[in-house]
Amino acid sequence: QVQLVESGGGLVQAGGSLRLSCAASGRIFDINAMGWHRQGPGKQRELVATFSRGGTTNYADSVKGRFTVSRDNAKNTVYLQMNSLKPEDTAVYYCAAKRISARTWDYWGQGTQVTVSS
C-alpha cells in the first residue's frame, strides 16, 4: 500500500555530514508518521527519529543535537540530516511509515548503509 525508497547513504569521516532521503508513494494519505531506524553491526534495530503528521519530531538521546528530521510534503519525502557524525553512527538506516491509528511500523524501505570512519 505504501512504498518507501531511501537514498543518501555513503562513507564519511567522523565529524562530517550526510542527508538521507525517503520518498513515499502509494496510499500516502494513510501515513500518520515517518521514522528512521538504524541497525549497526551486531546490534539490535534502534529507532533514531520520528516525524508525525502533525509535525512533532522525536529523537533518540544518542542523536539529539546532531540529527534533524524534516519533511517536504510536495515531494512526499522525509529527510534525515546527520551532522557531527561519529563512528558509532555506522549502521544500515531504514525509513519506515506508520498508518493512521496503527501501533507499529507498517512499511519499510530497503535500507541504506552509512559508514563513519574515525
Side-chain angles (χ1 to χ4, degrees):
Q1 292 182 319
V2 175
Q3 296 79 46
L4 306 174
V5 179
E6 299 146 313
S7 62
L11 175 64
V12 65
Q13 291 186 318
S17 299
L18 285 174
R19 189 179 76 163
L20 306 183
S21 300
C22 176
S25 61
R27 298 183 62 178
I28 57 175
F29 52 85
D30 282 343
I31 297 175
N32 190 50
M34 301 289 293
W36 287 98
H37 306 250
R38 68 184 181 186
Q39 186 166 19
K43 301 178 181 179
Q44 295 189 73
R45 189 172 60 204
E46 172 190 21
L47 178 61
V48 175
T50 60
F51 194 112
S52 72
R53 176 180 289 271
T56 301
T57 58
N58 288 282
Y59 300 91
D61 289 340
S62 58
V63 305
K64 285 181 179 178
R66 300 188 298 118
F67 290 11
T68 303
V69 175
S70 62
R71 181 177 182 177
D72 187 336
N73 289 332
K75 296 181 178 180
N76 296 319
T77 300
V78 295
Y79 304 93
L80 183 66
Q81 179 66 47
M82 305 185 295
N83 298 324
S84 302
L85 284 162
K86 304 174 181 179
E88 53 261 42
D89 295 319
T90 295
V92 177
Y93 284 72
Y94 297 91
C95 178
K98 185 181 296 183
R99 292 175 296 140
I100 296 173
S101 300
R103 298 183 179 183
T104 187
W105 299 99
D106 304 292
Y107 310 104
W108 293 83
Q110 79 285 357
T112 185
Q113 176 71 47
V114 172
T115 302
V116 184
S117 62
S118 60

